[in-house]
Amino acid sequence: MALVVLRLSIGWHFLYEGAWKIDNADKFSALPFLTLSKGPFAPIFYAMAPDLDGVERLRTEEKEVTFFTPTNRKVDVKKPGDSGFEGQEPAVVTSRELVEKKETITIYPAYFYPVEKIYDQVLQKYAPEGEQLQQFQVAWGNFIAAMNAFAKGNQEEIEGYLGSLKRFQEAKAAKNNGPEQKKRQWSEMLKLRGEAKGFLNELDALAVAFCDEIYGSLTVDQKKTAMPEFVVATDQLPYGIHLPLVGSSWTKFLDFTVTWALTLIGVCLILGFCTRLAAIGGGCFLISVLMTQPPWPTIFPPVHPEVGHALVVDKNFVEMVAIFMLATLPVGRWGGLDFFVWNWVGKPLFRYLGWYIEEDK
């Protein structure tokens, strides 16, 4: 009975974690958990975050691009008596004309090429004409101009950030493991990531503004079909993979996997269905948690006192031991669906294969 209660308790913990992430999908991201890893395993989890320091996303190149820009307004004067004019005073009617331009600008390939691909796709998918075509062309021109302006306005600051990042990495490679050095390195790492996030957020905003401008130009019927999704190049799944619910984003795939893995592990433990597999999966997840935040001495930063005090063994370690223990026992057959799975499927199959020995009664 006590083991069933333990199974249900751990199952509820996993289920609620997953359910909260489902309910707060717009707030949850696995990246902060990964990028704040500490200890000897931290590099493993940092590598799971695409282009963590933004080096690839902030890389630039010169490229000749073609875009359209509005010209000065063409002025037509309509007078009383003109066809379609009912006013008493002369009226000025303006019309917009676009001129094709070709210039060499500074681009950020990780952002430019995905946006360019979206622009080409919407032109092919919606076959815009007239005013809508002009709106698409203006959106593309605005993106080009904004990216070029960002590059010119932030060049020195970005070069300064990249220089500081290089010096930080060199100092970290020296492996000075003194407590004060660890503290300074952690603070410097967070500071540099904050700087990178500021630049990257602006570049993200340029791509989002382009997509919003295109979407705002679509007709009601066109909006019923899915518009191509923007995913920065460094976050795209390999081999052009596009999956339901997560698209082609590695970050969304990671968030989806964590959310539903926790949820399914919790459901299986509570129902006592495939309990051993669920327990092994839960135990492996807890191992990864321990690897990101090991409660070991000399690890910086230490666990916050409000969380508690632990040395090697913390609550995650205890839960890990408990769930692996459940994996060694047929606890799913005690008040769980595994009772039926075993008696209706497992036992007959094992008996047929000769792997089951009848117990003496």
Side-chain angles (χ1 to χ4, degrees):
M1 183 64 182
L3 290 174
V4 173
V5 173
L6 179 63
R7 187 196 81 204
L8 294 174
S9 300
I10 296 178
W12 176 254
H13 181 205
F14 274 81
L15 176 60
Y16 185 78
E17 281 285 352
W20 184 92
K21 290 172 174 58
I22 294 172
D23 191 47
N24 296 271
D26 57 330
K27 301 176 183 177
F28 167 70
S29 174
L31 289 184
F33 176 76
L34 298 175
T35 57
L36 291 178
S37 301
K38 56 189 182 181
F41 305 108
I44 298 174
F45 297 97
Y46 293 167
M48 295 182 186
D51 191 30
L52 178 57
D53 296 313
V55 174
E56 183 61 26
R57 283 173 285 176
L58 293 174
R59 182 176 64 84
T60 61
E61 66 180 46
E62 300 298 311
K63 181 176 177 61
E64 187 178 66
V65 296
T66 301
F67 60 99
F68 292 85
T69 182
T71 64
N72 294 328
R73 300 286 184 171
K74 181 180 179 182
V75 179
D76 294 324
V77 178
K78 286 195 173 185
K79 300 178 181 179
D82 289 348
S83 175
F85 181 75
E86 299 178 355
Q88 300 300 315
E89 298 293 334
V92 177
V93 179
T94 60
S95 62
R96 180 175 62 180
E97 291 183 352
L98 297 179
V99 174
E100 183 176 350
K101 298 183 68 174
K102 186 176 289 187
E103 291 184 6
T104 299
I105 68 167
T106 301
I107 66 166
Y108 295 85
Y111 290 89
F112 177 86
Y113 291 114
V115 171
E116 183 184 46
K117 184 177 179 180
I118 291 175
Y119 179 58
D120 292 338
Q121 287 177 338
V122 296
L123 290 179
Q124 295 175 10
K125 183 175 183 177
Y126 302 119
E129 298 177 349
E131 182 64 23
Q132 187 182 56
L133 176 59
Q134 285 194 348
Q135 291 172 340
F136 284 13
Q137 291 170 338
V138 168
W140 174 243
N142 289 341
F143 173 75
I144 294 296
M147 176 166 283
N148 195 33
F150 175 85
K152 291 180 178 179
N154 294 277
Q155 181 179 1
E156 292 185 5
E157 289 82 356
I158 292 176
E159 288 178 354
Y161 159 72
L162 294 175
S164 298
L165 178 63
K166 183 178 180 181
R167 290 190 294 272
F168 167 75
Q169 292 172 339
E170 290 173 349
K172 192 173 181 180
K175 296 184 178 180
N176 183 343
N177 293 321
E180 290 300 318
Q181 181 68 3
K182 289 182 179 180
K183 184 176 181 180
R184 284 194 298 269
Q185 287 180 350
W186 184 264
S187 298
E188 182 68 13
M189 181 186 73
L190 296 182
K191 177 185 175 183
L192 289 171
R193 288 184 184 173
E195 289 183 34
K197 187 175 181 180
F199 297 129
L200 298 174
N201 283 346
E202 289 190 52
L203 286 169
D204 287 332
L206 298 184
V208 171
F210 168 81
C211 293
D212 289 345
E213 203 168 345
I214 292 292
Y215 186 78
S217 302
L218 299 180
T219 64
V220 175
D221 290 336
Q222 288 172 338
K223 289 180 179 178
K224 293 178 181 179
T225 61
M227 182 177 156
E229 175 192 26
F230 168 76
V231 180
V232 66
T234 54
D235 192 36
Q236 293 176 2
L237 290 171
Y239 311 113
I241 295 174
H242 187 90
L243 301 173
L245 303 178
V246 301
S248 57
S249 169
W250 162 253
T251 301
K252 288 185 178 179
F253 171 77
L254 192 63
D255 294 344
F256 180 87
T257 302
V258 171
T259 297
W260 286 99
L262 293 175
T263 303
L264 292 176
I265 289 171
V267 169
C268 288
L269 288 175
I270 288 176
L271 296 179
F273 179 71
C274 295
T275 309
R276 293 180 190 269
L277 289 176
I280 291 172
C284 291
F285 174 80
L286 290 170
I287 288 176
S288 71
V289 173
L290 287 167
M291 290 173 67
T292 60
Q293 305 291 326
W296 300 345
T298 74
I299 295 292
F300 189 89
V303 177
H304 197 280
E306 291 183 0
V307 177
H309 301 83
L311 183 63
V312 181
V313 177
D314 64 0
K315 57 185 179 181
N316 292 315
F317 188 93
V318 172
E319 186 174 18
M320 179 195 69
V321 172
I323 200 170
F324 275 132
M325 181 195 68
L326 293 179
T328 66
L329 299 170
V331 68
R333 303 180 206 170
W334 308 334
L337 297 180
D338 281 346
F339 173 83
F340 303 100
V341 174
W342 170 246
N343 285 283
W344 294 352
V345 180
K347 186 185 292 185
L349 179 61
F350 278 32
R351 184 182 291 116
Y352 174 79
L353 296 173
W355 297 349
Y356 181 75
I357 301 175
E358 296 286 353
E359 297 179 359
D360 295 332
K361 295 183 179 180

